[in-house]
Amino acid sequence: MKTTIKHGPDSCRSDPPSFTIETAEDYEIARKRIEALSVQDGSSFRELTALKAAMRAWERKRARSSGTT
């Protein structure tokens, strides 16, 4: 799974991570990580949101390649 995190130059804050799910194994890893993110601080919330977005993108890509939408 590819992960991109851009860090701000003048602060400890960073942009939300961006994940790209490339395989079914990546999808399963993301699903398990989402289940594990029960603590809702700012950092885990941003990771959770990014993982869910990556899973939706993976699901759309798979649906298109199988001919269903």
Side-chain angles (χ1 to χ4, degrees), residues 17-50:
S18 173
F19 297 97
T20 303
I21 297 174
E22 299 177 319
T23 66
E25 182 181 2
D26 289 348
Y27 184 89
E28 186 62 20
I29 290 168
R31 189 188 64 75
K32 287 179 181 178
R33 180 65 180 150
I34 286 170
E35 289 175 1
L37 286 171
S38 59
V39 176
Q40 287 299 308
D41 62 8
S43 180
S44 63
F45 178 77
R46 294 185 310 167
E47 181 181 355
L48 180 64
T49 301

Side-chain angles (χ1 to χ4, degrees), residues 10-21:
D10 297 327
S11 71
C12 62
R13 305 274 309 171
S14 62
D15 291 341
S18 173
F19 297 97
T20 303
I21 297 174

